[in-house]
Amino acid sequence: MGGWTEILPVSFLLSSLVFVITLGIGAFLFEFLRKIGCRHSLERNATSDAFFEDPKSLKKVPCPSIFDPAEKYISLIIPAFNEEHRLPGAVDETLNYLQQRSVSNKSFTYEVIVVDDGSTDKTLKVAFDFVRKYNIDNFRVIRLGQNHGKGEAIRKGMLHSRGELLLMLDADGATKITDLEKLESQIFELAEKLKKLNMSSETTAELSRNLSDNAIAAFGSRAHLEKQALATRKWYRNLLMKGFHLVVLLTAGPGIRDTQCGFKMFTRAAARKLFTNVRLKRWCFDVEIVYLCKQLGIPMIEVSVNWSEIPGSKVRLTSVIHMLFELVLIRLGYGLGIWKIYS
């Protein structure tokens, strides 16, 4: 009997300790999620005083809103953090392509928006050199002042764009800019299908003829390159990626195989719904977008794109840990109803 009296208190203390730690973690997560939700509500309702700087005239140009009617055919949003070396080549290739299309098709109007995410190198100078060369109507720079994360940089760019179509792409030029035509054509094709389907339905209103009013998202994908990537990457990186994809599947559900490709296109209506709801500012905003598309009923298309690995990746082991934490936030934030979805 003496042995039991000694064992029971120890096991009880251990159980109590585990309970207290679990309760503390739960309280921390709840408060963390609540603060993110409160911050999002303030940002959502705040009147934006953002502006673009014109280095030619030295004037400040007020930023447009995603709620305004479209003024351009397409907007390209490039998030940039310390990209002084990779940005010039990617932007040159992008602008050459855009200019060629605009010459052959006068209705193809465009803007490129570089969002400087608090860079500490010469990224901002490089970006403003392009504004001077191509003028502020076609090339614009948003300064975030301090580093917030890729998700926040893209969100800001999307909310201040003028295009009917909005494309996010990385500053490294890993995806060929000509592949935007693949996403573009798939969006048009799906819009036509939905329009015909809804025209034959008496219970559903007809889709607008204006493309920007139809909510559709197209995701560039590297899933077709997976076998090649598995063969060239280290075994531990493959293990981490497999584990990450499993957690993504459990978080956002099936449908999109490659959520992390930085080449995504949205109609204006889709961008308006998605980027006024996105809360994550760093790594897993892509997964949150997929989750929101499903919750808001926005059709998604996954399109294979050409992609090549460019030196200078900012993904580290700590980044993977941060990603997993953000996936937990998505699951809990929306699952527990702490984060509201606005339609």
Side-chain angles (χ1 to χ4, degrees):
M1 292 295 291
W4 283 106
T5 56
E6 292 177 2
I7 294 172
L8 282 173
V10 173
S11 61
F12 177 76
L13 286 173
L14 288 175
S15 299
S16 300
L17 182 62
V18 170
F19 176 76
V20 170
I21 292 174
T22 303
L23 194 64
I25 292 173
F28 167 78
L29 283 174
F30 182 85
E31 181 62 18
F32 191 73
L33 290 164
R34 190 190 66 81
K35 285 183 177 179
I36 292 176
C38 291
R39 183 184 64 200
H40 175 263
S41 296
L42 292 173
E43 292 174 348
R44 181 181 171 83
N45 297 320
T47 302
S48 175
D49 58 354
F51 57 85
F52 298 110
E53 295 180 34
D54 185 354
K56 282 188 175 180
S57 65
L58 302 180
K59 292 181 179 179
K60 295 179 178 180
V61 179
C63 286
S65 167
I66 192 69
F67 292 98
D68 298 334
E71 298 177 16
K72 298 281 187 179
Y73 173 69
I74 191 168
S75 298
L76 285 77
I77 294 89
I78 305 176
F81 174 65
N82 291 346
E83 294 286 2
E84 65 170 302
H85 300 297
R86 301 196 298 181
L87 186 64
V91 171
D92 275 329
E93 182 182 348
T94 297
L95 286 168
N96 287 338
Y97 166 81
L98 295 172
Q99 286 182 318
Q100 288 174 11
R101 278 196 66 174
S102 65
V103 168
S104 59
N105 180 2
K106 297 301 180 183
S107 64
F108 184 86
T109 54
Y110 65 88
E111 65 175 352
V112 175
I113 300 174
V114 170
V115 186
D116 178 65
D117 189 22
S119 297
T120 55
D121 63 357
K122 296 180 181 178
T123 296
L124 201 57
K125 178 184 180 301
V126 169
F128 276 126
D129 285 343
F130 280 106
V131 182
R132 293 184 183 93
K133 183 177 180 180
Y134 292 97
N135 76 62
I136 199 168
D137 186 53
N138 289 326
F139 198 98
R140 298 181 164 191
V141 178
I142 296 178
R143 303 170 63 176
L144 296 190
Q146 65 185 65
N147 180 252
H148 292 276
K150 181 181 177 181
E152 178 64 4
I154 290 173
R155 188 184 75 88
K156 284 288 189 183
M158 291 282 176
L159 294 180
H160 297 306
S161 297
R162 295 175 288 168
E164 289 186 65
L165 294 174
L166 295 89
L167 175 73
M168 55 172 269
L169 65 162
D170 291 336
D172 59 7
T175 306
K176 289 294 182 183
I177 187 60
T178 51
D179 277 357
L180 77 80
E181 296 175 23
K182 295 180 180 180
L183 279 65
E184 181 185 11
S185 63
Q186 289 294 309
I187 285 179
F188 272 97
E189 186 177 324
L190 180 56
E192 284 299 316
K193 286 180 180 178
L194 292 174
K195 184 176 179 180
K196 290 177 182 177
L197 179 65
N198 289 336
M199 285 177 65
S200 62
S201 172
E202 295 180 358
T203 59
T204 309
E206 180 182 351
L207 283 176
S208 169
R209 291 182 180 180
N210 189 351
L211 178 67
S212 62
D213 292 335
N214 302 320
I216 301 173
F219 297 80
S221 175
R222 303 158 297 180
H224 62 294
L225 302 172
E226 187 174 358
K227 288 184 180 180
Q228 178 184 345
L230 287 171
T232 56
R233 281 199 303 250
K234 299 289 186 182
W235 67 268
Y236 57 86
R237 289 194 64 190
N238 288 329
L239 184 63
L240 285 172
M241 290 308 298
K242 287 289 186 182
F244 177 76
H245 288 153
L246 176 61
V247 179
V248 168
L249 181 64
L250 294 173
T251 303
I256 300 297
R257 295 167 62 196
D258 181 10
T259 59
Q260 302 308 111
C261 181
F263 201 75
K264 296 179 175 66
M265 183 180 287
F266 310 90
T267 61
R268 193 169 186 81
R272 185 184 303 124
K273 291 182 178 182
L274 293 170
F275 290 96
T276 52
N277 275 296
V278 166
R279 289 163 171 84
L280 296 182
K281 296 181 179 291
R282 293 195 176 274
W283 299 104
C284 286
F285 75 97
D286 307 78
V287 181
E288 187 181 7
I289 287 172
V290 173
Y291 181 89
L292 288 170
C293 280
K294 292 183 176 182
Q295 298 301 310
L296 292 166
I298 297 174
M300 297 180 291
I301 318 160
E302 189 167 16
V303 184
S304 297
V305 295
N306 294 299
W307 185 87
S308 55
E309 184 129 13
I310 306 296
S313 172
K314 297 180 175 66
V315 179
R316 303 289 184 268
L317 178 60
T318 52
S319 306
V320 176
I321 296 172
H322 198 132
M323 288 177 186
L324 293 174
F325 177 67
E326 288 192 341
L327 291 175
V328 172
L329 294 182
I330 294 172
R331 195 66 181 174
L332 293 178
Y334 290 111
L336 296 176
I338 302 172
W339 296 351
K340 306 296 182 184
I341 298 178
Y342 303 91
S343 56

